[in-house]
Amino acid sequence: MKWDWSAVSEFMPRFWDGLLVTLQALALGSLISFSLGLVWALLMRTPTRWVRWPVGVVTEFVRNTPLLVQLFFLFYVLPEWGLTFSALTTGVVAIGLHYSTYTMQVYRAGIEAVPADQWEAATALSLPARRTWFAVILPQALRRVVPPLGNYVISMLKDTPILMSITVLEMLGQARLFSQQHFQFTEPVTVIGVAFIVISYLASLLLRTLERRLVR
């Protein structure tokens, strides 16, 4: 099979559009998952059972159901209840919510890894709970969670093609549309595969650099 560079040239404008959508979904999805995951982790440490129990049920349900099912629920079922969002917004929320249940466990492990004497020192100094968390515990915990959180960023990147199922034209969606219109599959799909490899590699380099700086 002969490689058609003209097909690549023709596909590239669509590729850049898809790349922008992919990076937007990744950035916003990561922001939601990191923020909400921390909220879940803190709520699970509250002494009140009636707070921990609902949070535990919700996070277990989300973690143990497929992302595609959750995506379809948000996109097709919620409008029947009067809640309608754009396809991209729905995809971002679905990815962020799904992965927040995994980042919650990362935060939990990071918090539990903080030495007990740090908690004892905060108690001895009579620090209020809010200051204990935000000035003593969380800064130490966050340093420990950067590598695993970075792994989930790459996982979210690799899951962005699933948004194609709700009409979001991210990179693979653009490649599929181009292929169907021009009956050329090799070039656009190969370009997308290479793009995912490059983005994942650059993300891993960035995360390693950040990790080294935090360890100092």
Side-chain angles (χ1 to χ4, degrees), residues 27-201:
L28 296 176
S30 298
L31 180 61
I32 292 174
S33 68
F34 292 165
S35 303
L36 192 56
L38 180 58
V39 172
W40 296 141
L42 295 178
L43 290 177
M44 287 297 289
R45 293 186 63 89
T46 60
T48 307
R49 177 185 175 187
W50 299 110
V51 173
R52 295 197 314 271
W53 185 82
V55 171
V57 170
V58 170
T59 54
E60 282 296 320
F61 176 81
V62 172
R63 187 163 55 246
N64 290 287
T65 52
L67 174 57
L68 183 60
V69 173
Q70 297 165 16
L71 191 62
F72 276 21
F73 180 87
L74 293 176
F75 190 68
Y76 293 109
V77 178
L78 286 188
E80 296 182 1
W81 298 349
L83 298 174
T84 303
F85 304 98
S86 69
L88 180 58
T89 299
T90 302
V92 167
V93 171
I95 289 177
L97 176 62
H98 183 80
Y99 275 94
S100 72
T101 61
Y102 293 95
T103 59
M104 175 191 76
Q105 299 297 337
V106 173
Y107 286 122
R108 179 189 60 78
I111 292 171
E112 292 179 354
V114 175
D117 58 7
Q118 298 296 305
W119 296 90
E120 296 168 358
T123 302
L125 293 172
S126 300
L127 295 180
R130 183 182 181 88
R131 189 172 181 188
T132 297
W133 276 106
F134 289 97
V136 180
I137 304 303
L138 287 182
Q140 298 182 64
L142 292 178
R143 292 183 178 181
R144 293 174 166 85
V145 303
V146 169
L149 288 181
N151 292 334
Y152 282 122
V153 170
I154 295 175
S155 295
M156 280 186 272
L157 170 66
K158 292 187 289 186
D159 272 346
T160 54
I162 204 173
L163 302 185
M164 179 177 57
S165 63
I166 58 169
T167 73
V168 175
L169 290 179
E170 39 66 61
M171 287 195 295
L172 187 59
Q174 291 284 6
R176 181 186 180 188
L177 183 61
F178 179 87
S179 299
Q180 291 173 339
Q181 292 173 343
H182 296 80
F183 301 101
Q184 292 176 299
F185 294 88
T186 302
E187 292 82 5
V189 174
T190 301
V191 169
I192 296 306
V194 172
F196 272 108
I197 293 173
V198 171
I199 296 171
S200 298
Y201 179 70

